[in-house]
Amino acid sequence: VDLLGQTSPTVTVSLERVIRAAVDQNLRVQSARLDPAIRAAQVTQAEARFDWVFFTGVDWANTDEPRIVPSIGGVPVGSRANVNQAVAYDTGVRRPLTTGGEFSVSQGLTHSENSTPGLSTFPKPANNAFVELGLNQPLLRGFGSDATESEIRLARNAERSSIQSLKAQAMRTALDAETAYWELVRARRRLLIANRLVERGVQTRDVLKGRLDFDVRPAEYSDSVARVEGRRADLIRAQRAVREASDRLKAILNDPNIPVGSETLLIPADEPVDEPISFSLVDALVSALENRPEIERALLSIDDASIRQAFADNARLPLLDLAVRTRFNGLDDSPGGAYDQITDGDFVNYVASLQFEQPIGNRAAEALSRARRLERMKSVLDYKAAAQDAALRVKSALRNVVTNYQLIEQTRAARLASAENLRTLQVEEDTLRGLTPDFLDLKLRRQEALALAEFEEVAALVDYSSSIANLHRATG
């Protein structure tokens, strides 16, 4: 009877179905599957730094202000006011360069109407047009792709790392699903063993009850009753263990047809493996170094540290920036005429400048560079530790495979010996001996010894199957 007070429905599942469902539907795998997409968007965000940018602007100004008027011989020369209206716009595109600089192309026009009293201007109205080419380029600090593309390279590494994290989560989930599957097999076998042990105890108790008036004392019968009730308690615990193992497997699967909140009981269809596997320690170690996500992430960490170190080394250099501007100008009473003058190339401005800067002592940049070098050394040591840990896990997994397979044969022999012990005792009971207290105690103990041997054989089979799965996880 389940928690709903009803008989639980059952669903038979194969190991293949369990692993496929877990890798496809497990919540942690679904969550990890989103990370590469997030990182890919961040790569695009970092690459967008070098996209072209369009810009434009419009200004309107109405000027009406007094001004100082010079005088010659006491006679004022010029107007006492400055009155002007102007509308200006400029538009263009600019783009950061992978060399660290920025290139821009822009053009604009200023239309102005001079209304200053007593002052005439030519042309009127005035239309001043321009086309400008500009380049700002660092020559030392900030120059080159090591400085400008570091964020892109780090973002790409983060995307690769998230893919490895997804792989690790999928592998971990597959291993958890297979381990939970075999634990369900173990729990069900234990339930069957506990049930057989109760049945054997009931048979012995009933025999004693029938011989109470012959050669069995009440105390001996009471002892058998107590042993049977203790075994019933173990049977109840075994039933609970089966349901808990089924629920754990359902939680890993996250199958909408058999949610963890349902009382559906999963029934394993596959039996544990009982055949030796061939292996090579060298091949297993090489496979682990090539395929384990932890190794790949450690290599990416080394690359990240190298990128940051190159950026920090560049930051130690002095600031020496070059700025170059070329401006073509035109002036006329109409916009078209102003732009025509630009194409004639009669009025051209050239501007070039250098800007130098260097912190005295440069302590911040030197400290950052030193920290980045140490971080790279640390990442190399972390990689070696990850490789060492991978080798340790592979050897431990292989040793568990070998040991658990040996335990299958040994526990099977122990189970057969315990079964033979109980059988010979049953023969003696039927043919030779009376039911003495020592004989009854020996029989009950041999029943329990057989049940323990049966369970240890099941445990060896389950552990062997789980250890094979763990070996594949260890080798990546």
Side-chain angles (χ1 to χ4, degrees):
V1 179
D2 58 26
L3 295 177
L4 300 175
Q6 303 171 356
T7 301
S8 297
T10 61
V11 174
T12 301
V13 291
S14 66
L15 179 60
E16 181 180 0
R17 175 187 171 185
V18 162
I19 294 177
R20 286 182 181 275
V23 173
D24 184 55
Q25 299 172 161
N26 181 267
L27 292 176
R28 288 187 173 85
V29 175
Q30 291 186 46
S31 175
R33 198 174 285 130
L34 295 175
D35 288 336
I38 295 172
R39 298 300 183 183
Q42 292 174 345
V43 170
T44 303
Q45 179 186 9
E47 292 174 340
R49 174 187 175 187
F50 298 102
D51 289 351
W52 285 97
V53 177
F54 171 79
F55 62 90
T56 187
V58 178
D59 293 325
W60 173 80
N62 181 42
T63 305
D64 188 358
E65 60 185 9
R67 64 181 179 181
I68 299 174
V69 180
S71 65
I72 299 177
V75 178
V77 179
S79 176
R80 298 181 57 189
N82 179 26
V83 182
N84 185 57
Q85 296 85 32
V87 176
Y89 85 93
D90 68 312
T91 185
V93 291
R94 63 175 177 267
R95 181 179 185 271
L97 305 176
T98 56
T99 59
E102 181 181 80
F103 175 73
S104 64
V105 179
S106 62
Q107 66 87 26
L109 176 72
T110 301
H111 174 85
S112 59
E113 293 276 356
N114 182 56
S115 302
T116 302
L119 178 66
S120 297
T121 60
F122 178 82
K124 184 176 182 180
N127 289 278
N128 189 356
F130 72 91
V131 172
E132 183 176 277
L133 305 178
L135 174 66
N136 294 326
Q137 177 61 55
L139 302 180
L140 293 177
R141 188 196 307 168
F143 175 80
S145 60
D146 285 346
T148 61
E149 296 184 343
S150 59
E151 292 300 324
I152 296 176
R153 295 166 61 190
L154 289 172
R156 288 172 179 164
N157 280 352
E159 182 185 14
R160 297 187 186 102
S161 181
S162 68
I163 293 173
Q164 294 301 317
S165 296
L166 171 59
K167 178 182 176 182
Q169 182 60 60
M171 293 170 64
R172 189 160 48 245
T173 300
L175 177 61
D176 290 344
E178 184 164 355
T179 302
Y181 186 88
W182 295 128
E183 288 301 319
L184 179 58
V185 170
R186 186 201 304 264
R188 288 185 60 82
R189 291 286 189 86
R190 184 172 187 174
L191 176 61
L192 294 175
I193 293 169
N195 191 58
R196 282 199 300 267
L197 186 59
V198 170
E199 291 175 352
R200 289 169 182 156
V202 169
Q203 291 174 359
T204 302
R205 183 202 63 188
D206 291 345
V207 170
L208 293 174
K209 183 177 180 181
R211 301 181 65 169
L212 275 172
D213 297 331
F214 178 56
D215 57 357
V216 174
R217 294 178 297 176
E220 295 167 353
Y221 172 70
S222 298
D223 182 65
S224 68
V225 171
R227 299 283 275 271
V228 169
E229 296 307 316
R231 293 176 183 181
R232 289 189 191 277
D234 289 338
L235 178 61
I236 294 173
R237 296 187 185 97
Q239 291 171 341
R240 180 189 64 186
V242 168
R243 292 192 175 276
E244 289 180 346
S246 177
D247 285 343
R248 282 194 295 270
L249 183 56
K250 286 189 292 184
I252 295 173
L253 297 182
N254 190 39
D255 190 332
N257 296 320
I258 44 175
V260 68
S262 71
E263 281 295 274
T264 301
L265 196 61
L266 299 182
I267 307 296
D270 294 306
E271 296 296 323
V273 179
D274 189 9
E275 296 179 359
I277 64 169
S278 59
F279 64 86
S280 165
L281 176 58
V282 174
D283 291 343
L285 291 174
V286 171
S287 177
L289 293 177
E290 291 178 347
N291 298 315
R292 280 183 67 92
E294 296 85 352
I295 299 296
E296 183 63 26
R297 287 205 299 266
L299 289 172
L300 289 172
S301 294
I302 294 176
D303 192 41
D304 286 348
S306 299
I307 294 170
R308 294 188 177 99
Q309 180 181 344
F311 183 85
D313 289 342
N314 179 271
R316 297 168 59 197
L317 299 174
L319 180 69
L320 181 61
D321 290 352
L322 171 66
V324 178
R325 294 282 183 276
T326 300
R327 186 177 180 117
F328 298 85
N329 301 286
L331 178 65
D332 197 76
D333 57 359
S334 67
Y339 280 108
D340 287 340
Q341 287 190 13
I342 289 178
T343 59
D344 294 338
D346 293 335
F347 303 98
V348 183
N349 296 342
Y350 299 98
V351 178
S353 65
L354 280 175
Q355 192 74 25
F356 179 84
E357 180 182 299
Q358 172 72 354
I360 298 175
N362 206 24
R363 293 197 305 158
E366 294 292 343
L368 179 62
S369 177
R370 183 167 60 253
R372 295 305 189 213
R373 285 197 300 271
L374 293 174
E375 287 175 2
R376 189 181 186 284
M377 293 172 58
K378 180 178 180 298
S379 67
V380 173
L381 293 175
D382 290 342
Y383 168 75
K384 293 180 179 179
Q388 190 178 75
D389 180 68
L392 181 63
R393 290 178 182 273
V394 168
K395 292 187 67 178
S396 177
L398 280 172
R399 193 171 290 113
N400 284 337
V401 169
V402 173
T403 301
N404 288 329
Y405 185 72
Q406 293 173 344
L407 285 174
I408 292 175
E409 297 300 323
Q410 190 61 43
T411 55
R412 180 170 295 141
R415 189 258 301 170
L416 292 174
S418 295
E420 181 62 18
N421 280 344
L422 184 59
R423 188 191 67 80
T424 56
L425 197 64
Q426 187 66 43
V427 171
E428 290 184 19
E429 178 183 350
D430 295 339
T431 60
L432 301 176
R433 300 176 58 176
L435 297 179
T436 64
D438 291 340
F439 180 85
L440 292 172
D441 181 67
L442 178 61
K443 183 177 180 180
L444 292 171
R445 283 190 287 110
R446 285 192 178 180
Q447 289 175 354
E448 293 166 356
L450 174 59
L452 179 60
E454 290 173 336
F455 179 70
E456 288 181 346
E457 182 184 6
V458 171
L461 286 165
V462 168
D463 290 342
Y464 179 60
S465 295
S466 297
S467 64
I468 292 175
N470 191 59
L471 173 62
H472 289 299
R473 170 67 181 90
T475 57

